Amino acid sequence: GNSVTQMEGPVTLSEEAFLTINCTYTATGYPSLFWYVQYPGEGLQLLLKATKADDKGSNKGFEATYRKETTSFHLEKGSVQVSDSAVYFCALRRDNQGGKLIFGQGTELSVKP
Amino acid sequence: EAGVTQFPSHSVIEKGQTVTLRCDPISGHDNLYWYRRVMGKEIKFLLHFVKESKQDESGMPNNRFLAERTGGTYSTLKVQPAELEDSGVYFCASSRSGTGTDTQYFGPGTRLTVL
């Protein structure tokens, strides 16, 4: 079946450090891939997405590249800020299955000044 | 434009009681989804409405859960009777088109605690 696996958290970094949150997926066909972020006290927000192999999604300094050969969609940011502290969720969507998202377990990121 | 809203934000109930969660999607969004996150695990899909019709309810855990979307606007999710394992955060999301391929916008969630 379809599934998403993320690296476990919590991840604690100092401000301006480099961030990588690993995400791998299992799916038949060609899913769309997403990163959602949940800031404290808020709902999930779409951070970035990629809909086909080799696409790079980017937003707010975050990037992720759809790698079909390694079935991965790792999230990266070159210099994190305290305001990036949140829970990050990787997800996939099979576009011929009505749009439901399949999420990983989430990775909590804490950035210290 | 108002976002997806959910009510209540928190609910604490005793095992065996009934709870009803409400979701108001973004105006004009035909698709409405319910998801649940239990005890820090992955967020799991529960069901999907297109307007007032249930498109996919494959994620509903059992018949203690009943979702409705009368008139194709807001939706309710009723848990009756609640069990301890129902505790978690229930998220609602909505998207525009009937194909389900548009961006899903999430509400802040309802945190349900069953004692």
Side-chain angles (χ1 to χ4, degrees):
Chain A
N2 302 317
S3 66
V4 175
T5 302
Q6 290 180 234
M7 64 185 286
E8 288 193 22
V11 174
T12 303
L13 296 174
S14 297
E15 207 165 20
E16 299 184 3
F18 185 87
L19 169 71
T20 300
I21 300 178
N22 290 337
C23 171
T24 57
Y25 68 90
T26 301
T28 55
Y30 301 92
S32 295
L33 301 175
F34 304 83
W35 277 99
Y36 277 82
V37 58
Q38 185 181 22
Y39 297 104
E42 300 183 14
L44 279 78
Q45 302 174 24
L46 178 64
L47 181 59
L48 53 84
K49 69 178 182 181
T51 57
K52 61 183 187 294
D54 299 326
D55 268 2
K56 178 185 284 189
S58 61
N59 186 25
K60 299 182 180 180
F62 291 89
E63 292 184 340
T65 301
Y66 189 140
R67 300 285 189 201
K68 187 158 180 64
E69 64 276 13
T70 54
T71 61
S72 65
F73 193 55
H74 304 322
L75 182 68
E76 296 182 335
K77 186 174 185 182
S79 176
V80 294
Q81 305 301 311
V82 173
S83 57
D84 294 326
S85 298
V87 182
Y88 293 80
F89 295 90
C90 185
L92 70 82
R93 184 184 70 201
R94 292 288 312 281
D95 289 339
N96 62 350
Q97 293 185 354
K100 68 182 179 186
L101 293 165
I102 296 168
F103 286 90
Q105 71 268 36
T107 302
E108 182 180 357
L109 170 66
S110 177
V111 181
K112 306 297 185 185
Chain B
E1 180 182 75
V4 177
T5 58
Q6 294 186 244
F7 182 83
S9 56
H10 293 87
S11 180
V12 180
I13 61 172
E14 300 280 338
K15 175 182 171 180
Q17 290 185 321
T18 297
V19 63
T20 300
L21 313 182
R22 173 170 169 146
C23 169
D24 286 77
I26 294 172
S27 177
H29 281 194
D30 288 340
N31 294 287
L32 188 149
Y33 302 84
W34 283 98
Y35 295 88
R36 177 174 74 169
R37 189 182 191 208
V38 173
M39 289 190 63
K41 296 188 177 179
E42 72 271 25
I43 300 170
K44 286 195 173 181
F45 166 81
L46 296 178
L47 86 161
H48 170 205
F49 285 99
V50 178
K51 297 184 180 178
E52 67 274 10
S53 299
K54 291 177 184 175
Q55 182 78 10
D56 180 356
E57 50 184 329
S58 61
M60 294 289 263
N62 51 61
N63 61 8
R64 296 186 293 104
F65 289 75
L66 174 65
E68 296 181 323
R69 193 183 182 194
T70 306
T73 55
Y74 71 91
S75 174
T76 58
L77 180 65
K78 180 190 287 188
V79 185
Q80 179 182 30
E83 298 289 344
L84 298 179
E85 64 265 25
D86 301 332
S87 295
V89 181
Y90 290 76
F91 293 101
C92 175
S94 70
S95 67
R96 186 175 300 276
S97 79
T99 62
T101 57
D102 287 349
T103 296
Q104 292 183 28
Y105 296 88
F106 281 76
T110 293
R111 181 174 296 276
L112 174 64
T113 302
V114 182
L115 303 176

